[in-house]
Amino acid sequence: MNGLVNENLHLQLMQEFEVDYFKDKDKTIVDLITVMGSVYCVDVSVTARKTHLSIEIPVFHVEVWQGLTNRLRLLLKWVSGEDYQISFKPFNKDLIARKERQMKLSLYGPNQRIVSLFSGGLDSLTGAYYNFKNDISSDYIGFLNKREEATKQRFLADFYKKKLNPTPDIILIEKPVDKKRHYTQATRSLLYFSLAVAKAYYNQSNQVNLYENGVLTLNPNLYDRFTTKTTHPKTLFEYNNLLEDLNINVQVKHPLLFKTKGESINEMNLDFKGVIKDSFTCGAGRSDVLKVHVGQCGVCIPCLLRKISMAAYDNEQYDVYITLIMKNRILNQMYIIMNLFLMCNTFKNMCSS
C-alpha cells in the first residue's frame, strides 16, 4: 500500500516549537518529526498487515535520509514486524515558504532542562517522582489522550506544576490521526521519542528520560498477543544510533531499567502516592467496546500488572478499581499473567547462568 503523506504534518505536531528554517539543525529536527510522524500515520491507517507498506516522505535532507534508509527500515521492522518500503523527496518549496509565515513563536525558551516522557500512566508518575527526588529539572511531553484519560492527564499535569520546582513546561500534543484503523500502533513510540528529542533540542539539552518498566518491558509474545518494544534496550540502542547518525546531540535514556514497577512505586513519598488513583493504566476501553471508562477496570493485562506491582509492597490502598468483567475472563487474564512471570523467571535464570 502506498502511504499518502501530509506535507504539513510537522507543522501540526510542532506547534509549540519555534522553527528557524535558516538553521540546518532545525531542518534536521523537522525531518525527524516528519519521518516518524509519517510512518506512524501509515502504521495506524492500514488494516492489512504483513504487507509491504510503501511511503514517500518529504524531507529537507534527502541525501542524508537516503543513506539512512536501511537503518530506518531495520528499526521499523524490529519495532513493528512490518516491512516498510521508504523513499524520500524534497519538501515543496512553496509549502516551505508558507510554513515560515505560519509558524508561531514558541512560548518556551531554552532552559537546559532534560525532557521526560509523559503519558498520564503510573510509570510516568514514578518517573516524575524520580526527577523530584533527585533534583532533576525536567520538562514533560506526551500525546493527549481522549475522554477520561485526558482528564487524568490534565490532573497530573496540574499536580506536577504545583509540586515540581522549577515549574515544568508540560506539552500534550494531539495525535496526527484521529481515527485509527489498526490498533497496535507499534511505531507510536518512535514519534513519541522524536517529539521529546525536539523539545530537548529547543531546550538546549541533550537528554530525554523514558520511565517505563515491568515484565512487559521484555516484550513477551504469548497467545499471539502483540506487545510494543518501546522500552526494549535494542529499541533505544537503535534509535539513539539513528540520532547520532543525524548529528542530533540528544540521547534517550531509561533510568528505571533495572528497577521493578513495584520498587519504583514503593519509593514514592505520600504526596505522589496520593495521586496514584489519578494515573491511568487501564486498556479495557480501547479494546472492549462494551467497556466504558469509569476508573481502572482491574482485570485487563495492564491493570493486573499494575495491581501486582501495587500489592507487592502493600500499596493497594492508594488505588481504585471498578471491575465489570466476567469471572472467566478474569481467570483467563490471570493465567496469562502467571505465564508472563514464568517467562520472566526463565529469562532471569538464563541471564544469571
Side-chain angles (χ1 to χ4, degrees):
M1 172 168 177
N2 292 320
L4 300 177
V5 175
N6 175 7
E7 295 210 31
N8 289 312
L9 183 59
H10 88 273
L11 195 64
Q12 176 186 349
L13 291 167
M14 300 179 69
Q15 295 181 40
E16 302 295 340
F17 305 124
E18 181 183 358
V19 177
D20 185 344
Y21 290 95
F22 294 101
K23 290 183 178 179
D24 193 63
K25 189 65 73 175
D26 283 45
K27 291 180 180 179
T28 300
I29 295 294
V30 169
D31 282 352
L32 179 66
I33 298 298
T34 302
V35 169
M36 296 307 180
S38 300
V39 168
Y40 168 77
C41 289
V42 171
D43 185 18
V44 300
S45 300
V46 180
T47 55
R49 311 313 283 180
K50 301 304 176 187
T51 59
H52 291 290
L53 301 177
S54 298
I55 179 171
E56 185 176 49
I57 305 174
V59 292
F60 287 106
H61 301 109
V62 175
E63 291 185 2
V64 171
W65 282 98
Q66 286 174 338
L68 294 173
T69 299
N70 287 337
R71 178 181 287 282
L72 180 60
R73 288 188 62 206
L74 288 173
L75 174 60
L76 297 176
K77 177 71 172 179
W78 161 251
V79 169
S80 69
E82 307 289 351
D83 289 312
Y84 281 84
Q85 302 300 318
I86 299 175
S87 59
F88 300 96
K89 65 178 183 179
F91 259 118
N92 183 308
K93 291 183 178 180
D94 293 334
L95 282 175
I96 293 173
R98 289 205 298 272
K99 293 179 199 297
E100 289 177 0
R101 293 194 298 269
Q102 291 172 0
M103 183 63 72
K104 71 176 183 179
L105 294 178
S106 171
L107 298 176
Y108 311 109
N111 54 31
Q112 288 77 50
R113 298 175 194 163
I114 72 161
V115 177
S116 298
L117 296 175
F118 176 85
S119 67
L122 183 52
D123 286 332
S124 65
L125 177 61
T126 63
Y129 179 74
Y130 178 91
N131 291 340
F132 172 80
K133 180 181 71 173
N134 294 286
D135 294 321
I136 298 172
S137 296
S138 178
D139 290 335
Y140 296 81
I141 192 167
F143 289 120
L144 180 63
N145 293 320
K146 296 181 179 179
R147 299 185 294 276
E148 185 179 3
E149 291 178 84
T151 302
K152 298 288 189 181
Q153 283 181 304
R154 293 188 179 102
F155 180 91
L156 287 180
D158 288 341
F159 173 77
Y160 289 6
K161 289 178 180 179
K162 293 174 184 176
K163 191 68 180 174
L164 301 178
N165 185 33
T167 302
D169 300 334
I170 300 177
I171 301 175
L172 294 175
I173 297 172
E174 295 275 359
K175 295 174 187 174
V177 177
D178 184 59
K179 182 66 175 178
K180 299 184 291 290
R181 298 177 63 192
H182 187 71
Y183 289 91
T184 61
Q185 53 187 356
T187 60
R188 181 181 67 168
S189 59
L190 300 179
L191 177 56
Y192 200 10
F193 292 166
S194 300
L195 290 166
V197 166
K199 175 60 176 165
Y201 166 74
Y202 287 107
N203 277 7
Q204 296 182 4
S205 172
N206 61 4
Q207 184 172 333
V208 169
N209 277 2
L210 161 71
Y211 298 105
E212 186 174 340
N213 51 18
V215 295
L216 287 184
T217 296
L218 299 176
N219 311 114
N221 187 359
L222 294 175
Y223 309 105
D224 296 322
R225 299 183 70 92
F226 180 87
T227 58
T228 60
K229 297 182 174 70
T230 302
T231 62
H232 198 290
K234 181 176 178 178
T235 304
L236 299 185
F237 177 78
E238 294 293 346
Y239 183 82
N240 283 330
N241 281 344
L242 179 64
L243 294 180
E244 186 175 342
D245 288 343
L246 291 167
N247 292 317
I248 297 174
N249 186 31
V250 179
Q251 292 281 281
V252 181
K253 298 186 178 182
H254 193 341
L256 302 183
L257 179 62
F258 296 107
K259 282 185 176 290
T260 67
K261 194 186 301 288
E263 287 173 330
S264 301
I265 293 168
N266 194 52
E267 288 179 358
M268 294 195 295
N269 66 20
L270 291 179
D271 286 342
F272 279 80
K273 285 182 179 180
V275 295
I276 285 176
K277 64 183 182 302
D278 297 299
S279 64
F280 207 93
T281 300
C282 182
R286 304 183 198 97
S287 59
D288 191 338
V289 295
L290 299 178
K291 167 69 171 66
V292 177
H293 270 161
V294 183
Q296 317 288 334
C297 78
V299 295
C300 67
I301 284 183
C303 276
L304 287 174
L305 290 172
R306 176 182 174 122
K307 290 182 72 175
I308 290 168
S309 301
M310 298 289 288
Y313 292 86
D314 296 322
N315 285 312
E316 284 187 290
Q317 69 269 27
Y318 299 107
D319 211 352
V320 291
Y321 300 92
I322 298 178
T323 301
L324 301 174
I325 314 298
M326 296 182 297
K327 182 179 180 180
N328 62 344
R329 182 170 177 181
I330 298 174
L331 293 174
N332 180 58
Q333 300 288 56
M334 288 298 294
Y335 179 73
I336 293 174
I337 293 294
M338 288 174 61
N339 278 277
L340 284 172
F341 276 97
L342 287 172
M343 175 179 286
C344 290
N345 286 331
T346 301
F347 180 82
K348 181 178 180 181
N349 292 334
M350 289 173 59
C351 292
S352 59
S353 62

